[in-house]
Amino acid sequence: MKEKALVYCEGHFGDTDGKTANGLIRRSQKYQVACVVDSTHYGMDAGKVLDGTENGIPIYRDLGDAVNKLSELPKYFIYGIAPKDTYLSSDERRIFLKAISMGMNIVNGLHEFISEDTEFKREAKRYDVKLYDIRKPLANRYLHLFTGDILKVKTPKLAIFGTDCAVGKRTTAMLLIQALKEQGLRASFIGTGQTALIQGEKYGIAMDAIPSEFMTGELENAVMEADIHEKPDIIILEGQGSLSHQAFVSSCAIIRGGRPDAFILQHPPTRKQRIDFNYLKMPTINSEIKLIEGFSQSKVIALTLNHEGMGNEAIKETIKTYEHEYHLPTTDVLTHGCNKLVKTVLKTFPELKEKITL
């Protein structure tokens, strides 16, 4: 059974910095989300805020409000924010400590490791709770170096990349996997960020927390493990940031360690500057495609949209424009589904057609 969890996302639920909370509301294999805490959406339904459809998960004003209104105290307190500033504020520390004093285990996706903090460790011991630092890597002696075994993997590997951070790559991957499974295909997902790990995905690593020497080897190992143990028909790799992003190198390691055979590229048409880096302009779709294809020697086979700031008509027009301009199937999976993507995947990997069972 899934453990009940409270997701803390003060001031950010539904926006880009709230992507961990957003992801947990859309999919969680490990936790049953009892509520979200965000005073800016107090009294609303989490599904309604996020996707326009109610899902019965309430949003409360603060931790005390949630505890008073819930019939049962959740076992886990999950920090659902993924900010550029990767350290807890003094207010957030107090909230963590309050949750600990209530007997809640803490799930933390930041680069700040609370399991190494003297105060948190003392209070966790006092109240007999556990502290989970999702981004905390294993000691180097337990990490994997690149072996080249990925070159022996015959299973098709498809990566969902983007032109920036927080554009919905993981969401697109999840919906595509579901659509492929509905065709009777076995699809394995390789998570590369803390949200996927908190969601309970079986295979993956927090790429940006791995020492650079081990990044490609750890990703290669995750792919190999999924291929050996799940025997999938296709493997979907979650992208991180973008290959062109000046601040991050995770995409390079995903390409080198995972060796994708094809890519889907996700783009937010209304975004002019990179998220959290407003002094950096967004790349063009053309420049990102050229960079990905040149670096990987594999093709971008489709485009997907992040429809932030767009209405339904703008989405439809953009899809039409992009298909005409880039000669690639284009869709917004949240509003138009994954039919185009499934057709494109089957066209790209025709051997999959023989494995369709539904």
Side-chain angles (χ1 to χ4, degrees), residues 168-230:
K169 296 180 284 286
R170 186 189 65 257
T171 298
T172 292
M174 294 292 96
L175 291 174
L176 176 57
I177 286 172
Q178 182 59 38
L180 292 169
K181 287 182 176 179
E182 288 171 1
Q183 297 290 317
L185 293 169
R186 298 190 305 274
S188 288
F189 176 65
I190 309 298
T192 56
Q194 79 277 8
T195 301
L197 299 184
I198 295 173
Q199 286 176 312
E201 300 301 335
K202 192 172 181 180
Y203 301 97
I205 54 173
M207 289 289 289
D208 60 2
I210 302 295
S212 59
E213 183 178 4
F214 298 98
M215 290 176 77
T216 55
E218 279 292 290
L219 196 280
E220 176 190 47
N221 182 70
V223 175
M224 297 294 297
E225 288 288 307
D227 194 52
I228 291 170
H229 296 297
E230 305 300 322

Short mmCIF file of all heavy atoms in Angstrom, two decimals, residues 168-230:
data_model
loop_
_atom_site.label_atom_id
_atom_site.label_comp_id
_atom_site.label_asym_id
_atom_site.label_seq_id
_atom_site.Cartn_x
_atom_site.Cartn_y
_atom_site.Cartn_z
N GLY A 168 8.29 20.33 -18.61
CA GLY A 168 7.35 19.21 -18.64
C GLY A 168 7.87 17.96 -19.29
O GLY A 168 7.08 17.12 -19.73
N LYS A 169 9.17 17.79 -19.34
CA LYS A 169 9.75 16.60 -19.97
C LYS A 169 9.29 15.32 -19.28
O LYS A 169 8.92 14.34 -19.94
CB LYS A 169 11.29 16.69 -19.93
CG LYS A 169 11.86 17.85 -20.72
CD LYS A 169 13.38 17.90 -20.64
CE LYS A 169 13.89 18.42 -19.33
NZ LYS A 169 13.73 19.88 -19.17
N ARG A 170 9.31 15.33 -17.95
CA ARG A 170 8.91 14.14 -17.20
C ARG A 170 7.43 13.84 -17.39
O ARG A 170 7.03 12.68 -17.55
CB ARG A 170 9.23 14.34 -15.72
CG ARG A 170 9.00 13.10 -14.87
CD ARG A 170 9.11 13.40 -13.38
NE ARG A 170 8.06 14.32 -12.96
CZ ARG A 170 8.23 15.62 -12.73
NH1 ARG A 170 9.43 16.16 -12.89
NH2 ARG A 170 7.23 16.40 -12.37
N THR A 171 6.61 14.88 -17.40
CA THR A 171 5.17 14.68 -17.60
C THR A 171 4.89 14.07 -18.96
O THR A 171 4.10 13.13 -19.09
CB THR A 171 4.43 16.02 -17.46
OG1 THR A 171 4.63 16.52 -16.13
CG2 THR A 171 2.94 15.86 -17.72
N THR A 172 5.55 14.59 -19.99
CA THR A 172 5.39 14.02 -21.34
C THR A 172 5.84 12.57 -21.36
O THR A 172 5.17 11.71 -21.96
CB THR A 172 6.17 14.85 -22.36
OG1 THR A 172 5.57 16.14 -22.48
CG2 THR A 172 6.20 14.18 -23.73
N ALA A 173 6.95 12.28 -20.71
CA ALA A 173 7.45 10.90 -20.67
C ALA A 173 6.44 9.97 -20.01
O ALA A 173 6.16 8.87 -20.52
CB ALA A 173 8.78 10.85 -19.92
N MET A 174 5.86 10.41 -18.89
CA MET A 174 4.90 9.58 -18.17
C MET A 174 3.65 9.29 -19.01
O MET A 174 3.16 8.16 -19.06
CB MET A 174 4.48 10.27 -16.87
CG MET A 174 5.57 10.44 -15.83
SD MET A 174 6.13 8.89 -15.10
CE MET A 174 7.57 8.54 -16.09
N LEU A 175 3.14 10.32 -19.67
CA LEU A 175 1.94 10.15 -20.49
C LEU A 175 2.23 9.28 -21.72
O LEU A 175 1.39 8.48 -22.13
CB LEU A 175 1.39 11.51 -20.90
CG LEU A 175 0.80 12.34 -19.74
CD1 LEU A 175 0.42 13.73 -20.23
CD2 LEU A 175 -0.41 11.63 -19.13
N LEU A 176 3.41 9.44 -22.30
CA LEU A 176 3.77 8.61 -23.44
C LEU A 176 3.92 7.15 -23.03
O LEU A 176 3.46 6.25 -23.75
CB LEU A 176 5.07 9.12 -24.08
CG LEU A 176 5.63 8.28 -25.24
CD1 LEU A 176 4.61 8.15 -26.36
CD2 LEU A 176 6.93 8.89 -25.76
N ILE A 177 4.53 6.91 -21.90
CA ILE A 177 4.67 5.53 -21.42
C ILE A 177 3.31 4.89 -21.21
O ILE A 177 3.08 3.73 -21.59
CB ILE A 177 5.50 5.50 -20.11
CG1 ILE A 177 6.97 5.75 -20.43
CG2 ILE A 177 5.33 4.17 -19.39
CD1 ILE A 177 7.85 5.93 -19.21
N GLN A 178 2.38 5.65 -20.63
CA GLN A 178 1.04 5.12 -20.43
C GLN A 178 0.37 4.80 -21.76
O GLN A 178 -0.29 3.75 -21.91
CB GLN A 178 0.19 6.14 -19.66
CG GLN A 178 -1.21 5.67 -19.35
CD GLN A 178 -1.25 4.41 -18.52
OE1 GLN A 178 -0.43 4.22 -17.62
NE2 GLN A 178 -2.20 3.52 -18.81
N ALA A 179 0.56 5.68 -22.74
CA ALA A 179 -0.04 5.46 -24.07
C ALA A 179 0.56 4.23 -24.74
O ALA A 179 -0.14 3.46 -25.41
CB ALA A 179 0.16 6.70 -24.94
N LEU A 180 1.87 4.03 -24.58
CA LEU A 180 2.52 2.85 -25.17
C LEU A 180 2.05 1.57 -24.48
O LEU A 180 1.82 0.55 -25.12
CB LEU A 180 4.04 2.99 -25.06
CG LEU A 180 4.68 4.08 -25.92
CD1 LEU A 180 6.13 4.30 -25.53
CD2 LEU A 180 4.59 3.72 -27.40
N LYS A 181 1.87 1.64 -23.16
CA LYS A 181 1.38 0.48 -22.42
C LYS A 181 -0.04 0.11 -22.84
O LYS A 181 -0.41 -1.07 -22.84
CB LYS A 181 1.47 0.74 -20.92
CG LYS A 181 2.90 0.71 -20.39
CD LYS A 181 2.94 0.91 -18.87
CE LYS A 181 4.37 0.78 -18.36
NZ LYS A 181 4.45 0.99 -16.89
N GLU A 182 -0.81 1.12 -23.19
CA GLU A 182 -2.18 0.85 -23.66
C GLU A 182 -2.20 0.13 -24.99
O GLU A 182 -3.22 -0.45 -25.38
CB GLU A 182 -2.95 2.17 -23.75
CG GLU A 182 -3.29 2.75 -22.37
CD GLU A 182 -3.86 4.15 -22.44
OE1 GLU A 182 -4.02 4.67 -23.57
OE2 GLU A 182 -4.15 4.73 -21.38
N GLN A 183 -1.06 0.15 -25.71
CA GLN A 183 -0.91 -0.61 -26.94
C GLN A 183 -0.37 -2.01 -26.67
O GLN A 183 -0.16 -2.79 -27.60
CB GLN A 183 0.07 0.12 -27.88
CG GLN A 183 -0.40 1.48 -28.35
CD GLN A 183 -1.57 1.39 -29.31
OE1 GLN A 183 -1.58 0.55 -30.21
NE2 GLN A 183 -2.56 2.25 -29.10
N GLY A 184 -0.12 -2.30 -25.39
CA GLY A 184 0.41 -3.61 -25.03
C GLY A 184 1.92 -3.68 -25.06
O GLY A 184 2.51 -4.76 -24.94
N LEU A 185 2.58 -2.51 -25.18
CA LEU A 185 4.05 -2.47 -25.22
C LEU A 185 4.60 -2.31 -23.81
O LEU A 185 4.02 -1.62 -22.97
CB LEU A 185 4.52 -1.32 -26.10
CG LEU A 185 4.21 -1.45 -27.59
CD1 LEU A 185 4.47 -0.14 -28.32
CD2 LEU A 185 5.02 -2.58 -28.21
N ARG A 186 5.72 -2.95 -23.57
CA ARG A 186 6.40 -2.81 -22.28
C ARG A 186 7.38 -1.64 -22.37
O ARG A 186 8.36 -1.72 -23.12
CB ARG A 186 7.14 -4.10 -21.91
CG ARG A 186 6.23 -5.31 -21.75
CD ARG A 186 6.98 -6.49 -21.15
NE ARG A 186 8.18 -6.82 -21.91
CZ ARG A 186 8.20 -7.63 -22.97
NH1 ARG A 186 7.07 -8.17 -23.42
NH2 ARG A 186 9.33 -7.89 -23.59
N ALA A 187 7.12 -0.60 -21.61
CA ALA A 187 7.97 0.59 -21.64
C ALA A 187 8.58 0.83 -20.27
O ALA A 187 7.86 0.87 -19.27
CB ALA A 187 7.16 1.81 -22.07
N SER A 188 9.90 0.97 -20.21
CA SER A 188 10.58 1.27 -18.95
C SER A 188 11.04 2.72 -18.95
O SER A 188 11.47 3.25 -19.97
CB SER A 188 11.80 0.35 -18.77
OG SER A 188 11.39 -0.96 -18.47
N PHE A 189 10.94 3.33 -17.78
CA PHE A 189 11.30 4.74 -17.63
C PHE A 189 12.59 4.86 -16.81
O PHE A 189 12.74 4.21 -15.78
CB PHE A 189 10.17 5.48 -16.92
CG PHE A 189 10.46 6.93 -16.62
CD1 PHE A 189 10.62 7.84 -17.66
CD2 PHE A 189 10.56 7.38 -15.32
CE1 PHE A 189 10.87 9.17 -17.39
CE2 PHE A 189 10.81 8.71 -15.04
CZ PHE A 189 10.97 9.62 -16.08
N ILE A 190 13.49 5.71 -17.28
CA ILE A 190 14.72 6.01 -16.55
C ILE A 190 14.63 7.45 -16.06
O ILE A 190 14.75 8.39 -16.84
CB ILE A 190 15.98 5.83 -17.41
CG1 ILE A 190 15.98 4.45 -18.10
CG2 ILE A 190 17.24 6.03 -16.57
CD1 ILE A 190 16.01 3.28 -17.16
N GLY A 191 14.40 7.63 -14.76
CA GLY A 191 14.32 8.97 -14.20
C GLY A 191 15.71 9.55 -14.00
O GLY A 191 16.66 8.83 -13.70
N THR A 192 15.81 10.86 -14.15
CA THR A 192 17.13 11.51 -14.00
C THR A 192 17.09 12.70 -13.05
O THR A 192 18.06 13.45 -12.96
CB THR A 192 17.67 11.97 -15.38
OG1 THR A 192 16.69 12.83 -15.99
CG2 THR A 192 17.94 10.78 -16.28
N GLY A 193 15.98 12.87 -12.33
CA GLY A 193 15.85 13.97 -11.39
C GLY A 193 15.21 13.52 -10.10
O GLY A 193 14.68 12.41 -9.99
N GLN A 194 15.23 14.42 -9.10
CA GLN A 194 14.74 14.05 -7.78
C GLN A 194 13.24 13.78 -7.77
O GLN A 194 12.76 12.94 -7.00
CB GLN A 194 15.09 15.13 -6.75
CG GLN A 194 14.22 16.36 -6.75
CD GLN A 194 14.63 17.38 -7.79
OE1 GLN A 194 15.49 17.12 -8.63
NE2 GLN A 194 14.03 18.55 -7.75
N THR A 195 12.48 14.45 -8.64
CA THR A 195 11.04 14.25 -8.63
C THR A 195 10.68 12.82 -9.02
O THR A 195 9.82 12.18 -8.39
CB THR A 195 10.34 15.24 -9.56
OG1 THR A 195 10.65 16.58 -9.13
CG2 THR A 195 8.84 15.05 -9.54
N ALA A 196 11.33 12.31 -10.05
CA ALA A 196 11.06 10.93 -10.47
C ALA A 196 11.37 9.94 -9.35
O ALA A 196 10.64 8.97 -9.14
CB ALA A 196 11.88 10.59 -11.72
N LEU A 197 12.44 10.20 -8.61
CA LEU A 197 12.80 9.30 -7.51
C LEU A 197 11.78 9.39 -6.39
O LEU A 197 11.41 8.37 -5.80
CB LEU A 197 14.20 9.65 -6.99
CG LEU A 197 15.34 9.52 -8.01
CD1 LEU A 197 16.67 9.81 -7.33
CD2 LEU A 197 15.36 8.15 -8.65
N ILE A 198 11.30 10.60 -6.07
CA ILE A 198 10.28 10.75 -5.04
C ILE A 198 8.97 10.09 -5.47
O ILE A 198 8.25 9.51 -4.65
CB ILE A 198 10.05 12.24 -4.71
CG1 ILE A 198 11.32 12.84 -4.08
CG2 ILE A 198 8.87 12.42 -3.74
CD1 ILE A 198 11.25 14.34 -3.87
N GLN A 199 8.68 10.14 -6.76
CA GLN A 199 7.47 9.50 -7.28
C GLN A 199 7.53 7.98 -7.14
O GLN A 199 6.51 7.31 -7.25
CB GLN A 199 7.27 9.86 -8.75
CG GLN A 199 6.79 11.28 -8.98
CD GLN A 199 6.71 11.62 -10.46
OE1 GLN A 199 7.64 11.35 -11.22
NE2 GLN A 199 5.59 12.20 -10.87
N GLY A 200 8.73 7.46 -6.92
CA GLY A 200 8.86 6.02 -6.73
C GLY A 200 9.24 5.25 -7.98
O GLY A 200 9.01 4.04 -8.05
N GLU A 201 9.80 5.95 -8.97
CA GLU A 201 10.22 5.25 -10.19
C GLU A 201 11.32 4.25 -9.86
O GLU A 201 12.22 4.53 -9.05
CB GLU A 201 10.69 6.24 -11.24
CG GLU A 201 9.63 7.24 -11.67
CD GLU A 201 8.38 6.59 -12.24
OE1 GLU A 201 8.47 5.45 -12.75
OE2 GLU A 201 7.29 7.21 -12.16
N LYS A 202 11.27 3.11 -10.48
CA LYS A 202 12.14 1.99 -10.11
C LYS A 202 13.58 2.19 -10.54
O LYS A 202 14.52 1.75 -9.85
CB LYS A 202 11.58 0.70 -10.72
CG LYS A 202 12.20 -0.57 -10.18
CD LYS A 202 11.46 -1.80 -10.71
CE LYS A 202 12.04 -3.08 -10.16
NZ LYS A 202 11.31 -4.28 -10.68
N TYR A 203 13.77 2.86 -11.68
CA TYR A 203 15.13 3.02 -12.21
C TYR A 203 15.44 4.50 -12.41
O TYR A 203 14.64 5.23 -13.00
CB TYR A 203 15.27 2.27 -13.54
CG TYR A 203 15.01 0.79 -13.42
CD1 TYR A 203 13.75 0.28 -13.74
CD2 TYR A 203 15.98 -0.07 -12.94
CE1 TYR A 203 13.49 -1.09 -13.60
CE2 TYR A 203 15.73 -1.43 -12.80
CZ TYR A 203 14.49 -1.93 -13.14
OH TYR A 203 14.24 -3.27 -12.99
N GLY A 204 16.59 4.91 -11.94
CA GLY A 204 16.98 6.29 -12.16
C GLY A 204 17.92 6.81 -11.10
O GLY A 204 18.20 6.16 -10.09
N ILE A 205 18.41 8.01 -11.33
CA ILE A 205 19.34 8.69 -10.44
C ILE A 205 19.05 10.18 -10.50
O ILE A 205 18.44 10.67 -11.44
CB ILE A 205 20.81 8.44 -10.85
CG1 ILE A 205 21.01 8.83 -12.33
CG2 ILE A 205 21.22 7.01 -10.62
CD1 ILE A 205 22.44 8.79 -12.80
N ALA A 206 19.51 10.90 -9.48
CA ALA A 206 19.45 12.36 -9.52
C ALA A 206 20.75 12.84 -10.17
O ALA A 206 21.79 12.98 -9.51
CB ALA A 206 19.31 12.93 -8.12
N MET A 207 20.70 13.05 -11.47
CA MET A 207 21.91 13.31 -12.26
C MET A 207 22.73 14.47 -11.72
O MET A 207 23.97 14.40 -11.69
CB MET A 207 21.52 13.60 -13.71
CG MET A 207 21.03 12.41 -14.49
SD MET A 207 22.32 11.21 -14.87
CE MET A 207 23.27 12.10 -16.08
N ASP A 208 22.07 15.55 -11.31
CA ASP A 208 22.82 16.75 -10.93
C ASP A 208 23.46 16.63 -9.55
O ASP A 208 24.12 17.57 -9.09
CB ASP A 208 21.94 17.99 -11.00
CG ASP A 208 20.73 17.93 -10.08
OD1 ASP A 208 20.59 16.93 -9.35
OD2 ASP A 208 19.93 18.89 -10.10
N ALA A 209 23.28 15.48 -8.89
CA ALA A 209 23.92 15.28 -7.59
C ALA A 209 25.08 14.29 -7.67
O ALA A 209 25.75 14.04 -6.67
CB ALA A 209 22.89 14.78 -6.58
N ILE A 210 25.31 13.72 -8.84
CA ILE A 210 26.35 12.70 -9.02
C ILE A 210 27.67 13.38 -9.38
O ILE A 210 27.70 14.27 -10.25
CB ILE A 210 25.96 11.72 -10.13
CG1 ILE A 210 24.61 11.04 -9.81
CG2 ILE A 210 27.04 10.67 -10.35
CD1 ILE A 210 24.63 10.16 -8.61
N PRO A 211 28.79 13.00 -8.77
CA PRO A 211 30.08 13.54 -9.19
C PRO A 211 30.29 13.32 -10.68
O PRO A 211 29.92 12.26 -11.22
CB PRO A 211 31.09 12.73 -8.37
CG PRO A 211 30.32 12.31 -7.15
CD PRO A 211 28.93 12.06 -7.63
N SER A 212 30.84 14.31 -11.37
CA SER A 212 30.88 14.29 -12.84
C SER A 212 31.55 13.04 -13.40
O SER A 212 31.15 12.55 -14.45
CB SER A 212 31.60 15.55 -13.35
OG SER A 212 32.93 15.61 -12.84
N GLU A 213 32.55 12.51 -12.72
CA GLU A 213 33.26 11.34 -13.22
C GLU A 213 32.34 10.12 -13.34
O GLU A 213 32.60 9.22 -14.14
CB GLU A 213 34.44 11.02 -12.31
CG GLU A 213 35.30 9.85 -12.80
CD GLU A 213 36.49 9.58 -11.89
OE1 GLU A 213 36.60 10.25 -10.84
OE2 GLU A 213 37.30 8.69 -12.22
N PHE A 214 31.26 10.11 -12.54
CA PHE A 214 30.40 8.93 -12.48
C PHE A 214 29.05 9.14 -13.18
O PHE A 214 28.24 8.21 -13.23
CB PHE A 214 30.15 8.55 -11.02
CG PHE A 214 31.39 8.17 -10.26
CD1 PHE A 214 32.01 9.10 -9.44
CD2 PHE A 214 31.94 6.91 -10.37
CE1 PHE A 214 33.15 8.77 -8.73
CE2 PHE A 214 33.08 6.56 -9.66
CZ PHE A 214 33.70 7.50 -8.85
N MET A 215 28.79 10.33 -13.70
CA MET A 215 27.46 10.61 -14.26
C MET A 215 27.10 9.68 -15.39
O MET A 215 26.01 9.09 -15.41
CB MET A 215 27.39 12.07 -14.72
CG MET A 215 27.38 13.08 -13.59
SD MET A 215 27.41 14.79 -14.17
CE MET A 215 25.71 14.98 -14.69
N THR A 216 28.00 9.52 -16.36
CA THR A 216 27.67 8.66 -17.51
C THR A 216 27.56 7.19 -17.09
O THR A 216 26.69 6.47 -17.57
CB THR A 216 28.73 8.80 -18.62
OG1 THR A 216 30.03 8.52 -18.07
CG2 THR A 216 28.73 10.20 -19.19
N GLY A 217 28.41 6.77 -16.18
CA GLY A 217 28.37 5.39 -15.73
C GLY A 217 27.13 5.07 -14.93
O GLY A 217 26.55 3.98 -15.07
N GLU A 218 26.68 6.00 -14.10
CA GLU A 218 25.47 5.78 -13.32
C GLU A 218 24.24 5.71 -14.22
O GLU A 218 23.35 4.89 -14.01
CB GLU A 218 25.30 6.90 -12.29
CG GLU A 218 26.14 6.72 -11.04
CD GLU A 218 25.67 5.54 -10.21
OE1 GLU A 218 24.58 5.63 -9.61
OE2 GLU A 218 26.38 4.52 -10.17
N LEU A 219 24.19 6.59 -15.24
CA LEU A 219 23.06 6.56 -16.17
C LEU A 219 23.09 5.27 -16.99
O LEU A 219 22.07 4.61 -17.17
CB LEU A 219 23.09 7.79 -17.07
CG LEU A 219 21.83 8.18 -17.85
CD1 LEU A 219 21.65 7.36 -19.10
CD2 LEU A 219 20.59 8.13 -16.97
N GLU A 220 24.28 4.91 -17.47
CA GLU A 220 24.42 3.66 -18.21
C GLU A 220 23.96 2.48 -17.37
O GLU A 220 23.20 1.61 -17.85
CB GLU A 220 25.88 3.45 -18.61
CG GLU A 220 26.15 2.12 -19.30
CD GLU A 220 27.64 1.83 -19.46
OE1 GLU A 220 28.38 1.99 -18.46
OE2 GLU A 220 28.05 1.45 -20.56
N ASN A 221 24.34 2.45 -16.12
CA ASN A 221 23.96 1.34 -15.23
C ASN A 221 22.46 1.27 -15.03
O ASN A 221 21.87 0.18 -15.01
CB ASN A 221 24.67 1.49 -13.89
CG ASN A 221 24.34 0.35 -12.94
OD1 ASN A 221 24.77 -0.78 -13.14
ND2 ASN A 221 23.58 0.64 -11.90
N ALA A 222 21.81 2.43 -14.88
CA ALA A 222 20.35 2.45 -14.70
C ALA A 222 19.64 1.87 -15.92
O ALA A 222 18.69 1.10 -15.80
CB ALA A 222 19.88 3.87 -14.43
N VAL A 223 20.12 2.24 -17.11
CA VAL A 223 19.54 1.71 -18.34
C VAL A 223 19.76 0.20 -18.44
O VAL A 223 18.84 -0.56 -18.79
CB VAL A 223 20.11 2.42 -19.58
CG1 VAL A 223 19.59 1.78 -20.87
CG2 VAL A 223 19.78 3.90 -19.56
N MET A 224 20.97 -0.23 -18.13
CA MET A 224 21.28 -1.65 -18.20
C MET A 224 20.41 -2.46 -17.23
O MET A 224 19.91 -3.53 -17.57
CB MET A 224 22.76 -1.88 -17.86
CG MET A 224 23.73 -1.24 -18.84
SD MET A 224 23.67 -1.96 -20.48
CE MET A 224 24.17 -3.63 -20.14
N GLU A 225 20.23 -1.93 -16.00
CA GLU A 225 19.42 -2.62 -15.01
C GLU A 225 17.97 -2.78 -15.50
O GLU A 225 17.37 -3.84 -15.37
CB GLU A 225 19.44 -1.83 -13.69
CG GLU A 225 20.76 -1.91 -12.94
CD GLU A 225 20.98 -3.27 -12.32
OE1 GLU A 225 20.09 -3.73 -11.58
OE2 GLU A 225 22.03 -3.88 -12.59
N ALA A 226 17.43 -1.69 -16.05
CA ALA A 226 16.05 -1.76 -16.56
C ALA A 226 15.95 -2.76 -17.71
O ALA A 226 14.99 -3.54 -17.80
CB ALA A 226 15.60 -0.38 -17.02
N ASP A 227 16.93 -2.74 -18.60
CA ASP A 227 16.89 -3.61 -19.76
C ASP A 227 16.99 -5.09 -19.36
O ASP A 227 16.28 -5.94 -19.91
CB ASP A 227 18.03 -3.25 -20.72
CG ASP A 227 17.87 -3.88 -22.09
OD1 ASP A 227 16.78 -3.72 -22.69
OD2 ASP A 227 18.82 -4.52 -22.56
N ILE A 228 17.84 -5.37 -18.39
CA ILE A 228 18.05 -6.75 -17.96
C ILE A 228 16.85 -7.28 -17.17
O ILE A 228 16.36 -8.39 -17.42
CB ILE A 228 19.33 -6.86 -17.10
CG1 ILE A 228 20.57 -6.62 -17.98
CG2 ILE A 228 19.42 -8.22 -16.42
CD1 ILE A 228 21.85 -6.45 -17.19
N HIS A 229 16.36 -6.48 -16.24
CA HIS A 229 15.35 -6.98 -15.31
C HIS A 229 13.92 -6.84 -15.82
O HIS A 229 13.05 -7.63 -15.46
CB HIS A 229 15.50 -6.28 -13.96
CG HIS A 229 16.80 -6.57 -13.28
ND1 HIS A 229 17.16 -7.83 -12.86
CD2 HIS A 229 17.84 -5.76 -12.96
CE1 HIS A 229 18.36 -7.80 -12.31
NE2 HIS A 229 18.79 -6.56 -12.36
N GLU A 230 13.66 -5.82 -16.63
CA GLU A 230 12.30 -5.59 -17.12
C GLU A 230 12.06 -6.14 -18.52
O GLU A 230 10.92 -6.35 -18.92
CB GLU A 230 11.98 -4.09 -17.10
CG GLU A 230 12.19 -3.42 -15.75
CD GLU A 230 11.32 -4.01 -14.67
OE1 GLU A 230 10.16 -4.36 -14.95
OE2 GLU A 230 11.80 -4.11 -13.51
#
